[in-house]
Amino acid sequence: MPALEDLRALDLANAQVTLWAIKGPTGAAAEAPHFSGRWVDTTDEVDAALKEILAAELAKIEEVIEYGLLAQNNEASALQIPTDETHAGLLLDEVAAELDGKKASQINHLLNSKFYVAKFIVGDQIAFAVRKTEPGWKTKKAASFRNLYFADQQLAIDDRPHFELSKTFDFIIFGDTILVRNKGAFESVLRYKSTQREDFVELQAEVEFLAAFVDVTPLVEYVGDNKIQLRRACAIRDKGHYRDAEFMQRLRQTQAEYGLVIQFNGDGKIIATPDTCAQIMKALLDHRLKSGFSTLVYDVQDTTPVQV
């Protein structure tokens, strides 16, 4: 876990902290995202709070898992993905320099920001911690309430603009690695889903994939633009079991044993139907497995080969 260890080794107590509020991603969904950011002057108290939040987030991580389309982390783990496999570079370009023209000088510069980036500089090392904003950052939400505070045993109105600082970060960019704590937020902010769309389009044009089906149209319609199904379709391409003649032969011969009812034509090609697309996806992902101990059949979220 080199990235995690290096992050934990940072002297956060002496880090220089800058907070950026970011609007975006904008632009066509299938294109690289565009970000627009403003940096904000913060008090020593806010800087200290951001340092504490990052330190606490890093302390929670006990395991680092390689990012995969179907990989999931939990409260004690993080997913790891190379920075250059994402659009992170475009975000880092936006927050590279605290120029005067980029400084937040009015409330509208902050309202409706989609996320914020806390930038921690320690010598020549920089960590960028990202968090999607809470509803209070939205104009509509802010206009719906009056802020109150309790002091001297009474409530009073505080009409100063208020913004919420979460006690967690969604992902951390550090050098050539991103540690992801919230996969959904990471994919939304950096438009990682758009890459999956492109992969799925390429899969549909792959001769070997098309050759496995009588007609791939029902499967394409089943996947659509659904985030989960796009992940699965891209994982199918990564695994490439449809290219393995022996795998496909075993699928045809033993599918009933595993509770599948996929149809094949006389040439051994898959007949995709709306009712069987989910089963076809499971089969091509190799996600229908039988325990050698209990002999029970299971659906699994991911498959990691074990060397024995």
Side-chain angles (χ1 to χ4, degrees), residues 284-296:
L284 295 181
L285 284 167
D286 200 21
H287 278 188
R288 181 63 62 87
L289 304 179
K290 178 185 285 188
S291 168
F293 305 119
S294 66
T295 72
L296 295 174

Side-chain angles (χ1 to χ4, degrees), residues 10-237:
L10 287 178
D11 182 12
L12 284 179
N14 293 309
Q16 176 187 334
V17 182
T18 308
L19 187 66
W20 283 77
I22 311 293
K23 297 181 181 180
T26 58
E31 297 177 358
H34 176 75
F35 302 104
S36 177
R38 295 275 184 170
W39 65 275
V40 195
D41 257 338
T42 50
T43 65
D44 290 343
E45 186 179 16
V46 172
D47 292 349
L50 289 167
K51 293 176 184 179
E52 290 174 5
I53 294 166
L54 178 58
E57 198 68 43
L58 295 174
K60 296 174 189 174
I61 304 173
E62 300 175 3
E63 179 185 23
V64 174
I65 304 167
E66 288 302 315
Y67 183 97
L69 292 167
L70 304 180
Q72 294 293 335
N73 61 302
N74 55 42
E75 64 278 359
S77 63
L79 300 174
Q80 177 176 277
I81 185 170
T83 304
D84 61 7
E85 290 185 10
T86 74
H87 291 303
L90 298 175
L91 175 59
L92 299 188
D93 287 345
E94 181 62 19
V95 302
E98 285 68 48
L99 304 174
D100 288 342
K102 283 288 188 178
K103 184 178 180 180
S105 58
Q106 53 185 280
I107 189 65
N108 287 337
H109 288 161
L110 303 181
L111 283 172
N112 297 317
S113 295
K114 294 295 182 64
F115 61 98
Y116 54 81
V117 179
K119 182 178 175 182
F120 302 87
I121 303 176
V122 183
D124 60 354
Q125 295 182 300
I126 307 177
F128 304 85
V130 182
R131 172 71 189 193
K132 292 190 75 172
T133 55
E134 303 296 336
W137 288 69
K138 293 180 170 49
T139 303
K140 183 177 180 180
K141 187 76 172 181
S144 300
F145 297 93
R146 299 293 296 276
N147 293 304
L148 304 177
Y149 68 94
F150 183 73
D152 298 326
Q153 301 182 43
Q154 67 177 173
L155 284 173
I157 290 178
D158 185 354
D159 280 329
R160 293 174 298 179
H162 283 69
F163 297 92
E164 298 164 294
L165 189 66
S166 176
K167 292 185 178 181
T168 61
F169 286 113
D170 294 323
F171 60 96
I172 303 157
I173 306 170
F174 187 60
D176 59 3
T177 302
I178 301 176
L179 292 179
V180 180
R181 292 283 286 156
N182 183 323
K183 190 175 185 180
F186 159 75
E187 292 182 346
S188 173
V189 166
L190 294 185
R191 279 201 179 159
Y192 202 72
K193 181 180 174 183
S194 65
T195 303
Q196 295 168 18
R197 291 191 188 100
E198 294 167 8
D199 283 350
F200 186 45
V201 170
E202 292 175 5
L203 176 64
Q204 295 170 52
E206 191 173 321
V207 173
E208 290 169 302
F209 182 72
L210 293 175
F213 293 85
V214 172
D215 181 5
V216 80
T217 302
L219 192 66
V220 172
E221 294 174 349
Y222 174 78
V223 172
D225 198 45
N226 182 277
K227 178 172 63 176
I228 300 300
Q229 302 304 346
L230 281 170
R231 285 180 188 165
R232 290 171 177 161
C234 293
I236 285 171
R237 187 184 185 201

